[in-house]
Amino acid sequence: MFEKTLAELAQGLNNGDYSSVELTDAYLNRIKAEDGQYNSYITVTEEQALAQAKAADETRAAGNAGPFTGLPIAHKDIFCTEGVRTSCGSRMLDNFISPYNATVIEKFNQAGAVSLGKTNMDEFAMGSSNESSFYGAVKNPWNTECVPGGSSGGSAAAVAARLAPAATGTDTGGSIRQPAALCGITGLKPTYGRVSRFGMIAFASSLDQGGPMTRSAEDAAMMMNVMGGFDGRDSTSLQMDSEDYCADLSKPLDGLKIGLPKEYFSDDLNPAIAQQVQAAIKEYEALGATTQEISLPNTALAVPAYYIIAPAEASSNLSRFDGVRYGYRCESPVDLEDLYKRSRGEGFGAEVKRRIMVGTYALSEGFYDAYYKKAQQIRRLIKQDFVDALSQVDVIMGPTTPHPAFKIGEKTSDPIDMYMEDIFTLSLNLAGLPGMSVPCGQTNGLPVGLQIIGNYFAERQLLNVAHRFQQATDWHHLSPVSAGK
Amino acid sequence: MEWEAVIGLEIHAQLATKSKIFSGASTAFGAAPNTQACAVDLALPGTLPVFNGEALRMAVMFGVAIDAEIGRKSVFDRKNYFYPDLPKGYQTSQLFHPIVGPGHVDIELKDGTHKRIGVTRAHLEEDAGKSLHDQFPGMSGIDLNRAGTPLLEIVSEPDLRSAEEAVAYVKKLHAIVTTLGICDGDMSQGSFRCDCNVSVRPKGQEEFGTRTETKNINSFRFIEKAIKGEIERQIDLIEDGGRVEQATRLYDAEKDETRSMRSKEEANDYRYFPCPDLLPIVINDDYIDQVRDSLPELPDARHARFMEQFGLGDYDAGVLSAYRNLADYFETVAQVGGDAKLAANWVMGELSKFLNSNDLDIDDSPVKAEALGQLLLRLKDDTINGNAAKQVFEAMWNGEGDADQIIEAKGLKQVTDSGAIEAMVDEVIANATPQVEQYKAAEPEKRGKMLGFFMGQVMKASKGTANPGQVNKLLKGKLDALCD
């Protein structure tokens, strides 16, 4: 049962092989038994999950079941969930019980999905290793001495360890794709604006985007059919008709033009990663695709530009956590300034404070033009690079990450080294483009991810490209559980 | 040395939208604390702003009304600072690309000449909540009902040279926003408030002196007093060898003085940057034309029309056109009553007197415009005389019915039957022998004044209903006949 994909579980529910209550109960028991070694959940919502499962079974009995009715999933603890602690991985919100549902949560509730609980994450989604969480590091199910990636590390580990069939994540600079790659699962960051940000606690508003983290491209498409769509409560939400993300999954890939950016395949790239990615591209050629080298000349500027823009927005977005209305408040403040300083000083962790300071500095009078404005100019150049490239090819491929999963603690003392983990992923957030990571091999028992980048609104094409690969290969079926890890 | 003041004003006009600028919560004033603050206003984690298009329409109305450039693409920026009644830790405002660019309004000076005052810009922003410092011992209360209320901040050029000019400018803007219906103009509730930037310089010098900013003044009178006081303070300071410090000051209406709130050194670095949660507002010429076509008649135009169409004097026309609701009221009275000058006299006289003494706004007048018009009709057609009309008005004010009902009930119908009046006149003359003797003894040119006594007696005898013209004529004829 735990090796089944969402699509297979939906079939099982339809066939009456098991009820949603049985399925949910099985997952809850498995989480109880196994999550001690991974720490992938912050909160398990057993009671609510069983109530939702019961309601789903009743809906099914009444003949009103939809494609998602009764399927259990997990949500990153960044999505506000009514009546449930929504911590964002921070001490700041350890006591925050959200009084409302994020649009994404609301949509899954309406679709009849069951929420198993809230998954661990880097504090306020700031990190690439899931080590900055107030609730402790998450362990990679393939090797518990290694990180699962971040910031959606809990969602990635839960799906990889078969503690949830699928999960939601968010991606500001690679936070869906990088952990998906390091944990050997499938992750999709949609075009900016596809998935509503309402109720998704903001890190960097112009970069944040929610998306699915699943066992397969087909499951990701099923998730997108629920998650995607215009939301009047998010002004940056795309006003487009909803579409069926499953519609193009099986299209043949004959004549697909794949661009390979020379900047992504430099001599510095980890040879094992390079080898697996090249092998995957060979597979695509066998499926009828052609490849050509392209250039994204401003790739090297992406990390510095990103680490101005994202912290600048974060420094402002996180100002609301002030100890006044909700969240952490320090003991016995003597005056207002003391309340602010100690509440924020004690409530935020080191990485969050570092980014608030960087962002505050970048927006300061006298520095704004040199940093923030310049970074926005670079952002336009990077976007133009992709627009130019995608006028020549259908999709762009490369490694999702420069390395496989690294050891817990290995990069915590060197933030810059950590930031470089997202070198291939964060350009897409700057450009607002959709991207996927699919498992494409292993090295030393650790998964390797292939990143597939598409044009704006080309999610269906990305899912098609990923699905055909998964029809032809078995990498996405590898399981740390059945591998005995 | 002769000094010259240089004044620029920033006016915050609260836009009269039903809901807030970025949320669906109500903007109504006076609700219990925090009952009109939704998740967005409380800045709960994950909430996002959605711009209220009605605020845009109102801002563009203002821009068109002052002949300003309208920003085809305006952008919301975040102004970052910490304060307990600022829930997000930033105020959403427009720094770099405001919705309204340069425009102007004309004010009338005391000598009757006109002066054009430049408006630099007007931008949309959200209001903050309120901190209540005196209700909880050792703590402050926060009321976020006002948080997110839409404001239009209107920034003038430093074109004003005296407190009187400043007040004339503020009154003109007040007339414009209330006429447009985009602001209720209620200064006591803070719907229309003013920050005054004041500096002084030796007359003839081109360079500006150091300015101070006095914040949140909420009446025309306080604006005038605060500016006057600040000009005097600055001149005294400089003449005593001191220097004006650039600072933000607060006007204390009770003490009638300004005092320093914070100096330039204590000022925040607001770290403005474009708000990534909101898209730029892009509007086209069609939108602006539609707004222009929807504008009501503006105060200046109405003022001119009142003079031309109704023959009102400049002052009366100015007073009656300054507030849209007052102007509408007046026009209705004039139309129903069929006499604009009479209507102007009653609206500015009896009605204003009653409104002021009861501290009521024209909208709250218990006597509606149509009803007052009906009363004036009865005055015009001689059903009642002026004295009775005032009695009827008071009764109408007290809710005793319409003019005709009250005239009937109180028996105030004017007596025009000359036989009845003559009988009363004869009786008064017969019973006032001493006064008749005095009248006879007086010089003919002084007799006119003495007629008043007899008039009063006859009117009293008729309970105020006798036609005064007829009484006067009869009295004069009969008394003068006695003198022959």
Side-chain angles (χ1 to χ4, degrees), chain B residues 125-142:
Chain B
E125 62 184 27
E126 58 184 336
D127 208 344
K130 275 182 186 159
S131 296
L132 311 164
H133 297 300
D134 46 7
Q135 301 193 355
F136 310 95
M139 304 226 270
S140 290
I142 309 291

Side-chain angles (χ1 to χ4, degrees), chain A residues 47 56 64 69 107 207 210-211 228 231 278 284 332 347 353 365 369 385 423 452 471:
Chain A
E47 264 178 52
N64 298 324
T69 304
K107 280 172 174 269
L207 303 163
D231 181 9
Q278 294 293 0
Y284 273 107
S332 326
K353 283 189 260 193
E365 210 176 333
D369 287 355
D385 281 357
I423 185 161
I452 313 168
Q471 296 297 98

Side-chain angles (χ1 to χ4, degrees), chain A residues 139-398:
Chain A
K139 317 257 169 49
N140 190 316
W142 290 93
N143 179 343
T144 52
E145 284 177 17
C146 290
V147 303
S151 66
S152 311
S155 291
V159 174
R162 307 322 191 220
L163 300 178
T168 55
T170 62
D171 190 315
T172 305
S175 284
I176 286 175
R177 292 158 289 155
Q178 184 253 16
L182 300 195
C183 290
I185 66 163
T186 301
L188 167 66
K189 180 204 98 72
T191 306
Y192 182 77
R194 275 283 195 202
V195 173
S196 169
R197 294 188 298 113
F198 185 79
M200 192 176 107
I201 298 176
F203 160 15
S205 311
S206 74
L207 303 163
D208 295 343
Q209 182 59 203
M213 302 181 76
T214 54
R215 298 267 311 286
S216 69
E218 185 184 16
D219 285 3
M222 282 177 69
M223 292 273 282
M224 278 304 290
N225 276 348
V226 180
M227 294 175 83
F230 173 69
D231 181 9
R233 293 178 296 183
D234 173 2
S235 308
T236 61
S237 173
L238 286 166
Q239 294 204 37
M240 296 176 82
D241 292 337
S242 54
E243 46 188 280
D244 179 5
Y245 291 92
C246 296
D248 295 342
L249 282 175
S250 302
K251 269 189 166 175
L253 300 184
D254 294 310
L256 181 79
K257 282 190 272 182
I258 299 172
L260 304 173
K262 61 182 184 197
E263 292 81 6
Y264 288 13
F265 293 93
S266 74
D267 294 341
D268 299 340
L269 184 63
N270 178 304
I273 298 266
Q275 199 191 340
Q276 302 297 334
V277 170
Q278 294 293 0
I281 288 160
K282 283 269 174 310
E283 186 65 46
Y284 273 107
E285 287 172 340
L287 289 168
T290 59
T291 61
Q292 69 184 81
E293 186 181 89
I294 56 162
S295 177
L296 299 168
N298 292 296
T299 297
L301 297 174
V303 171
Y306 177 89
Y307 277 98
I308 296 296
I309 293 167
E313 293 183 11
S315 71
S316 176
N317 282 336
L318 271 61
S319 293
R320 65 185 60 194
F321 305 109
D322 56 5
V324 173
R325 297 169 311 288
Y326 51 78
Y328 181 80
R329 178 187 282 190
C330 66
E331 286 288 327
S332 326
V334 298
D335 58 19
L336 182 60
E337 192 166 318
D338 187 46
L339 169 77
Y340 282 151
K341 284 184 172 167
R342 284 202 290 126
S343 297
R344 289 169 65 81
E346 295 161 16
F348 290 136
E351 183 60 28
V352 171
K353 283 189 260 193
R354 176 162 29 241
R355 296 199 194 188
I356 289 173
M357 283 188 282
V358 168
T360 302
Y361 182 82
L363 291 175
S364 300
E365 210 176 333
F367 297 105
Y368 180 85
D369 287 355
Y371 292 111
Y372 185 79
K373 212 169 156 188
K374 188 64 77 183
Q376 291 291 12
Q377 288 164 349
I378 291 171
R379 183 176 188 169
R380 281 193 286 277
L381 293 177
I382 287 169
K383 180 181 170 177
Q384 196 55 48
D385 281 357
F386 280 106
V387 169
D388 292 345
L390 288 165
S391 67
Q392 304 164 46
V393 297
D394 300 315
V395 293
I396 296 168
M397 288 189 188

Side-chain angles (χ1 to χ4, degrees), chain A residues 16-33:
Chain A
D17 298 344
Y18 33 77
S19 68
S20 178
V21 168
E22 286 166 344
L23 183 59
T24 301
D25 205 40
Y27 267 100
L28 290 170
N29 285 330
R30 180 166 166 76
I31 293 165
K32 239 180 265 176

Side-chain angles (χ1 to χ4, degrees), chain B residues 146-278:
Chain B
R146 202 182 63 182
T149 299
L151 299 176
L152 188 67
E153 179 174 337
I154 305 159
V155 183
S156 83
E157 289 290 303
D159 288 347
L160 302 156
R161 293 290 172 270
S162 69
E164 290 80 11
E165 284 186 24
V167 170
Y169 167 78
V170 177
K171 282 187 171 167
K172 178 51 69 70
L173 282 190
H174 190 266
I176 291 172
V177 297
T178 53
T179 298
L180 292 173
I182 63 173
C183 175
D184 69 16
D186 191 329
M187 298 180 80
S188 64
Q189 289 180 2
S191 298
F192 188 87
R193 50 192 200 260
C194 185
D195 298 346
C196 305
N197 290 288
V198 176
S199 67
V200 297
R201 62 184 174 190
K203 196 150 191 156
Q205 179 183 304
E206 230 178 85
E207 201 184 323
F208 291 145
T210 305
R211 68 185 164 86
T212 62
E213 181 182 20
T214 305
K215 285 220 167 272
N216 276 339
I217 316 177
N218 65 353
S219 85
F220 296 130
R221 198 163 56 89
F222 290 160
I223 291 168
E224 183 161 0
K225 289 175 92 169
I227 292 175
K228 274 195 171 138
E230 183 58 17
I231 292 170
E232 276 171 33
R233 192 189 68 86
Q234 291 188 13
I235 293 172
D236 288 351
L237 196 65
I238 298 169
E239 287 185 341
D240 290 348
R243 265 181 33 213
V244 176
E245 300 279 343
Q246 187 173 337
T248 303
R249 303 181 70 84
L250 203 66
Y251 177 68
D252 183 337
E254 272 173 39
K255 292 183 183 157
D256 187 22
E257 62 181 27
T258 66
R259 60 169 179 270
S260 186
M261 220 164 89
R262 58 173 179 265
S263 73
K264 192 189 175 191
E265 286 70 35
E266 294 166 81
N268 278 304
D269 175 357
Y270 291 119
R271 291 172 284 120
Y272 278 99
F273 77 107
C275 179
D277 286 329
L278 290 161

Side-chain angles (χ1 to χ4, degrees), chain A residues 432-448:
Chain A
L433 287 166
M436 281 191 84
S437 181
V438 293
C440 72
Q442 294 224 334
T443 170
N444 292 329
L446 290 170
V448 174

Side-chain angles (χ1 to χ4, degrees), chain B residues 57-70 99-104 122 152 176 180 182 288 291-292 295:
Chain B
R57 193 181 65 79
M58 291 181 172
V60 173
M61 281 176 90
F62 175 76
V64 172
I66 63 159
D67 199 18
E69 287 174 27
I70 305 297
I99 181 68
V100 177
H104 55 83
L152 188 67
I176 291 172
L180 292 173
I182 63 173
I288 296 167
V291 171
R292 183 177 285 114
L295 287 195

